[in-house]
Amino acid sequence: MSRTLYVINPNSNADVTAQLNAAVEPLRRAGGPEIRCVTLEAGPPGVETQAHVDGAALAVNDFAVRHEADAAGFVVACFSDPGVAQLRERVAVPVLGISESAVLTALTLGHHFGVIAILPGSIPRHLRAWGAMGISQRCVGEIAIGRGVSALADREATLAAMIDAGRRLRDERGAHVLVMGCAGMAGFRAPLAEACGLPVVEPTQAATAMALGRVLLGW
């Protein structure tokens, strides 16, 4: 299988792309499609506002249309799933958004899930998505850690904030599963799971695993 499964980071932060590349490494297999993580360098340092999401949607679609000929599929690695619906209308290969894939995966791991968001402004966008998916009753809530995408590079402070949020979602809201609500959190799954004692869904892993299944099964 010579085609490529593209994992698209729609922000310009190469450190985020490096984390995504490490996160999907266990999914790379001989005989499977190449998994290539790419950075859209013209994007903002982090997709943090609705304006960023709207711009990212166009950039994601432009990239995908240019690369459709050699693509096995596309994973949009931003938790607002920018451009996913539009792209599914335009290309004939699987298109997965990490937000949708993450919460669908969470529903297989426990009845109630909680989301660790980066900024408070992200939460209304996420809640609209859960409502559109018809799963709002399975989400016990979201807690923002108050850190933008670039600030996630301070690993010690970020992990401490994520652990605090995860424990609150577990103890105060009754979450059975935690979902990391930003692609830039990719490197924190294992320590967060250990500290909170709950399954933790890393969204780009979830979406890439789904995409691989679709590609290999011809769905």
Side-chain angles (χ1 to χ4, degrees):
M1 183 175 294
S2 60
R3 292 193 299 165
T4 299
L5 175 59
Y6 287 100
V7 178
I8 306 170
N9 172 18
N11 69 49
S12 59
N13 192 322
D15 289 339
V16 171
T17 307
Q19 289 192 57
L20 300 179
N21 195 54
V24 301
E25 180 59 30
L27 299 171
R28 292 185 166 104
R29 291 290 185 271
E34 177 188 359
I35 302 174
R36 185 180 302 172
C37 299
V38 297
T39 306
L40 298 190
E41 295 179 355
V47 178
E48 298 173 350
T49 68
Q50 188 61 53
H52 289 160
V53 173
D54 294 343
L58 298 176
V60 163
N61 274 265
D62 288 345
F63 176 90
V65 169
R66 292 199 309 272
H67 291 83
E68 182 181 7
D70 73 320
F74 297 99
V75 170
V76 181
C78 169
F79 204 74
S80 294
D81 288 352
V84 168
Q86 181 183 5
L87 189 53
R88 285 174 176 165
E89 293 182 349
R90 299 184 70 180
V91 300
V93 296
V95 177
L96 281 295
I98 65 170
S99 173
E100 182 181 52
S101 300
V103 297
L104 291 176
T105 300
L107 296 182
T108 71
L109 295 170
H111 187 74
H112 286 131
F113 68 91
V115 179
I116 301 174
I118 52 169
L119 298 169
S122 305
I123 295 177
R125 291 197 301 276
H126 301 167
L127 296 180
R128 289 195 296 271
W130 316 151
M133 293 174 68
I135 59 169
S136 295
Q137 71 278 14
R138 301 283 294 274
C139 178
V140 297
E142 300 199 21
I143 294 177
I145 62 171
R147 305 181 69 82
V149 174
S150 296
L152 300 179
D154 184 341
R155 293 187 58 83
E156 183 176 355
T158 297
L159 179 59
M162 291 178 68
I163 290 172
D164 177 69
R167 288 174 173 168
R168 288 174 57 196
L169 287 165
R170 179 194 66 190
D171 298 338
E172 299 171 12
R173 312 286 184 91
H176 305 129
V177 185
L178 301 176
V179 175
M180 300 195 298
C182 177
M185 296 176 173
F188 298 98
R189 187 187 67 81
L192 180 64
E194 181 178 1
C196 295
L198 293 177
V200 174
V201 178
E202 196 292 299
T204 302
Q205 289 178 332
T208 304
M210 286 187 182
L212 279 175
R214 292 268 304 275
V215 170
L216 295 173
L217 293 170
W219 287 8

